[in-house]
Amino acid sequence: IEPITVGIAIGAASVITGYLSYQDLYCRFAECCGKHRPLNATALKLDLEEKLFGQHLAAEVIVKALTGFRSNNNPKKPLTLSLHGWAGTGKNFVSQIVAENLYAKGLKSNFVHLFVSTLHFPHEQHIKLYQDQLQRWIRGNVSACASSVFIFDEMDKLHPGVIDAIKPFLDYYEQVDGVSYRKAIFIFLSNAGGDLITKTALEFWRAGRKREDIQLKDLEHALSVGVFNNKHSGLWRSGLIYKRLIDYFIPFLPLEYTHVKMCVRAEMKARGSAIDEDVVTRVAEEMTFYPKGEKIFSDRGCKTVQSRLDFQFLDV
Ligand SMILES: Nc1ncnc2c1ncn2[C@@H]1O[C@H](COP(=O)(O)OP(=O)(O)OP(=O)(O)O)[C@@H](O)[C@H]1O
């Protein structure tokens, strides 16, 4: 072996190691795309168990779906989750927890993108333009970071057909125009299907069955069919559904009085105040519950808890 060859080999090896440790070091301080930060399934599970109330199905499915997807080095398609439920049941809250578990900066990460229908796609006459913009935006971001996350809020307010523009990206293709979308994550949030979920939750309650006994199979199929046939779901007759490109339809159950109380306590804790059970009860009792007779479910979930708590401390 020639000393020159050995010298070159050692040189090359140290350049590579140097580069790798430089990259590790760089990623400690700056934001790096997903592959440098593996998902900690235990941390995600714990986060959901501690922070998300009354959503046993969502918590279970999300942990399973994300850990399965992220532990597969060669997924055949991007992960697509569709979250459904009435207002204030935790859909945005869960997206935030997921984003934080994938990227330290959470929703503020350069690799997490939030679209809000009424803000980004307001006009029905511009559907074609929105479709082009959406395709360009997603293509650009996935080219920069294969593990990008895209969250679409208010899907039920999205004009029919807009979302089908991204169908090729969600499909089983290895690449589309030289870009692979297989490591990306798409999350849709929607109020559509809230009626079906409430109906099932109410049936369980009336039959004296525990809410935790509701299983995904009790709802998932009904949700996908319901949303497909609903003109105001953003997924009306969508190719995403009939081509089975949505991996999970995840129901968010309507929240009960006890869950609202848990939200009030969590909010007080987050504000650093001592838990005052009188205030907790007062805030929970100010919420409106349905159906008319039984008054079981909060009509805004936990959504107005923060403002109602502010109100309790106002000296008026
Ligand atoms: N299941 C829950 N567990 C804990 N906190 C919750 C839950 N649901 C809602 N919250 C609290 O209420 C706030 C509002 O909820 P969130 O924005 O997630 O509702 P949403 O389901 O996305 O509603 P919308 O359909 O109106 O967008 C959250 O930021 C969180 O503080």
Side-chain angles (χ1 to χ4, degrees):
I1 306 164
E2 269 183 68
I4 297 176
T5 324
V6 174
I8 292 172
I10 292 174
S14 45
V15 167
I16 292 169
T17 348
Y19 173 71
L20 287 179
S21 50
Y22 168 74
Q23 201 169 39
D24 280 349
L25 192 69
Y26 177 80
C27 291
R28 252 170 222 263
F29 299 103
E31 237 208 335
C32 284
C33 179
K35 63 184 172 189
H36 300 292
R37 192 171 189 259
L39 175 73
N40 181 342
T42 318
L44 173 65
K45 190 165 178 267
L46 210 70
D47 245 7
L48 291 171
E49 274 169 10
E50 280 176 4
K51 297 180 187 163
L52 181 71
F53 310 130
Q55 304 297 0
H56 69 283
L57 284 175
E60 188 191 318
V61 178
I62 284 166
V63 170
K64 272 192 193 155
L66 278 168
T67 45
F69 180 71
R70 273 306 192 92
S71 58
N72 180 357
N73 281 329
N74 194 16
K76 295 281 177 282
K77 69 181 279 305
L79 179 67
T80 309
L81 309 175
S82 196
L83 280 45
H84 298 266
W86 283 148
T89 49
K91 301 178 299 295
N92 274 285
F93 189 49
V94 161
S95 313
Q96 183 192 325
I97 295 175
V98 166
E100 283 164 0
N101 276 271
L102 292 171
Y103 290 104
K105 289 189 179 174
L107 293 176
K108 292 198 191 112
S109 163
N110 290 327
F111 310 123
V112 177
H113 311 278
L114 174 69
F115 299 99
V116 182
S117 300
T118 48
L119 181 69
H120 297 108
F121 317 110
H123 306 296
E124 193 164 7
Q125 65 272 30
H126 296 323
I127 289 179
K128 194 80 207 75
L129 175 74
Y130 298 150
Q131 288 181 323
D132 290 346
Q133 286 174 339
L134 205 49
Q135 285 187 345
R136 257 185 287 133
W137 179 253
I138 290 175
R139 187 182 304 121
N141 282 294
V142 174
S143 306
C145 173
S147 309
S148 293
V149 178
F150 301 95
I151 302 169
F152 292 81
D153 192 14
E154 301 185 341
M155 275 299 286
D156 45 311
K157 309 220 169 50
L158 192 64
H159 304 294
V162 174
I163 205 65
D164 280 66
I166 66 164
K167 187 175 150 285
F169 305 155
L170 303 187
D171 218 324
Y172 287 77
Y173 303 121
E174 197 162 331
Q175 292 199 335
V176 182
D177 292 336
V179 180
S180 169
Y181 295 85
R182 290 176 158 190
K183 293 204 166 168
I185 297 177
F186 292 82
I187 304 176
F188 303 130
L189 314 183
S190 176
N191 292 144
D195 49 347
L196 295 166
I197 299 168
T198 297
K199 188 170 160 277
T200 304
L202 201 55
E203 278 166 10
F204 269 69
W205 191 88
R206 285 179 177 155
R209 298 174 68 188
K210 279 200 300 201
R211 164 190 186 93
E212 289 73 24
D213 289 342
I214 303 176
Q215 295 179 21
L216 194 60
K217 67 176 167 52
D218 295 320
L219 278 164
E220 205 182 19
H221 179 68
L223 258 184
S224 70
V225 174
V227 168
F228 185 79
N229 292 321
N230 178 352
K231 213 167 180 175
H232 305 286
S233 70
L235 290 166
W236 180 55
R237 296 185 182 167
S238 168
L240 269 53
I241 297 184
Y242 73 72
K243 289 278 183 180
R244 306 206 181 279
L245 298 179
I246 296 180
D247 299 298
Y248 295 95
F249 287 88
I250 306 178
F252 278 66
L253 305 174
L255 296 179
E256 299 179 13
Y257 182 75
T258 48
H259 305 124
V260 175
K261 279 184 141 186
M262 290 163 101
C263 287
V264 184
R265 288 191 201 105
E267 183 59 28
M268 290 176 112
K269 204 169 148 203
R271 292 179 186 196
S273 4
I275 311 291
D276 180 337
E277 285 300 326
D278 288 340
V279 174
V280 173
T281 307
R282 271 208 304 276
V283 173
E285 284 182 353
E286 273 183 21
M287 308 290 279
T288 317
F289 292 85
Y290 68 96
K292 253 189 181 160
E294 292 127 315
K295 295 193 189 310
I296 311 158
F297 304 126
S298 162
D299 68 349
R300 283 169 206 187
C302 278
K303 204 157 191 176
T304 49
V305 160
Q306 294 190 2
S307 53
R308 275 159 208 258
L309 198 53
D310 294 338
F311 192 72
Q312 291 294 322
F313 295 112
L314 274 185
D315 207 6
V316 282

